[in-house]
Amino acid sequence: MTTLLYGLPAAGLVEVPRDAVQVSPLVPGARDMADLPDGHAERALILAPGGTLERDHVLAQALRTLKPGAPLTAFAPKDKGGSRLRKALEGFGCEVSEDARRHHRFCHVARPEAPVSLAEAIAAGAPRRVPALAPPSGMWSQPGVFSWDRIDPGSARLLDALPSLAGRGADLGCGVGVLAARVLASPAVTALACVDLDRRAVACARRNLDDPRVTVLQADVRRLGADVGADLGDDLAGLDVVVMNPPFHDGGHEDRDLGVAFVRAAARMLRKGGACWLVANRHLPYEAALREAFALVEVKADAGGYKILEARR
């Protein structure tokens, strides 16, 4: 039996078959549901994302890939979209039964013989050009990607503060490539590795950064070079510069260790004397981790709730 699994549910939340096919864009190596044929799968378990366009896109893709009559279970925390799942599934013509446990709402359906509005939901959550990301022509983005339809305020602050850079660099947590495009504006930049965990962001960045100097990778930045004896590879070792707007939420909850892990990853990638430029919300205490990993740390700007830091190895 082919079971599709979207997301990484907490242990014991649902029973996941050992051979379930992971289809989340946030899991490196996962399959892309968009590439799966209609009526292919026999079961789906969906840890539904919170955003409306993204959630409906995922549910519609899952229903498209399921055989008629095949079971689908969609679930989410009650305060992060779980209470809205029933209505979303009913909008596709599903008859829904519900239960709740461990602060999650679970919706169980059988794939209708003729579900409705799937094509519309798939199109609404698909990649598209967003003018606000790079007026007037825009950049490719997709609902569900971080700050998918506008430039994040922190990234905007860093864009204003970045000097003209040079040498080999990396953009960690690159998203669709907003920061990277600014870095690449300098002809002195000879190579730029762009890394993001989100497969959708990686695909958009590859479309947006049409430049022979660019390599775009899907990877968990926290793991790059973290294991004993791990090889960073030529694209991410001995760099001159790293830029980043590190995440500080995981699964909807603030996790300050995420940013600390990004700081340590940048330090592993940089050569002696190499520079890391990053933006962070003012309340995030990254300075201790920076001083532990870098020889020099300087606050270049502090305004509007954000701080820009430069750290040198």
Side-chain angles (χ1 to χ4, degrees):
M1 174 182 287
T2 302
T3 299
L4 305 181
L5 173 64
Y6 187 98
L8 297 171
L13 193 61
V14 291
E15 185 176 344
V16 179
R18 293 172 65 102
D19 60 351
V21 177
Q22 179 62 249
V23 290
S24 169
L26 302 180
V27 178
R31 297 287 302 275
D32 187 346
M33 276 199 293
D35 295 334
L36 299 178
D38 294 356
H40 159 77
E42 294 160 302
R43 186 186 179 200
L45 299 170
I46 307 294
L47 177 54
T52 300
L53 291 176
E54 179 188 10
R55 178 204 64 212
D56 289 355
H57 178 85
V58 170
L59 293 175
Q61 287 283 22
L63 288 166
R64 179 190 63 78
T65 62
L66 285 170
K67 296 179 179 179
L72 179 150
T73 298
F75 54 102
K78 294 177 183 178
D79 59 348
K80 298 187 185 301
S83 62
R84 299 186 294 273
L85 282 175
R86 182 185 190 110
K87 183 176 180 181
L89 287 163
E90 288 176 340
F92 295 125
C94 298
E95 293 187 12
V96 182
S97 63
E98 282 186 291
D99 64 84
R101 59 186 182 275
R102 293 181 58 180
H103 308 293
H104 284 64
R105 185 70 59 86
F106 292 78
C107 290
H108 310 276
V109 307
R111 195 265 202 195
E113 187 70 32
V116 297
S117 303
L118 297 190
E120 293 85 348
I122 289 171
R128 82 283 304 271
R129 278 196 172 273
V130 178
L133 293 175
S137 59
M139 299 181 86
W140 283 93
S141 188
Q142 184 174 0
V145 172
F146 171 70
S147 196
W148 77 273
D149 59 351
R150 65 196 183 286
I151 296 178
D152 167 71
S155 294
R157 296 275 177 180
L158 185 53
L159 287 169
D160 289 340
L162 276 178
S164 183
L165 302 175
R168 298 173 57 247
D171 179 357
L172 303 184
C174 66
V176 302
V178 172
L179 287 177
R182 169 71 172 75
V183 173
L184 291 164
S186 169
V189 172
T190 58
L192 188 67
C194 298
V195 186
D196 204 281
L197 182 62
D198 192 326
R199 180 184 64 230
R200 300 163 299 186
V202 166
C204 289
R206 286 176 176 150
R207 299 180 78 167
N208 292 326
L209 305 172
D210 184 15
D211 190 307
R213 296 172 291 171
V214 173
T215 302
V216 186
L217 309 168
Q218 185 190 13
D220 187 339
V221 169
R222 296 169 292 184
R223 304 306 316 158
L224 292 173
D227 297 328
V228 175
D231 183 5
L232 281 167
D234 294 341
D235 292 326
L236 292 169
L239 300 180
D240 300 295
V241 64
V242 168
V243 298
M244 59 184 182
N245 178 3
F248 62 96
H249 285 92
D250 190 4
H253 303 286
E254 183 171 313
D255 182 357
R256 299 182 181 191
D257 289 340
L258 269 174
V260 171
F262 268 60
V263 166
R264 291 171 178 164
R268 291 192 293 270
M269 296 174 189
L270 287 162
R271 63 167 175 79
K272 185 72 173 178
C276 173
W277 283 82
L278 71 110
V279 60
N281 290 60
R282 182 181 289 156
H283 74 279
L284 296 172
Y286 294 154
E287 285 82 353
L290 286 163
R291 293 190 179 98
E292 181 181 296
F294 291 85
L296 177 67
V297 179
E298 184 179 357
V299 178
K300 307 297 285 189
D302 188 346
Y306 295 92
K307 52 191 174 185
I308 309 295
L309 301 110
E310 180 190 14
R312 289 197 172 268
R313 287 276 284 142

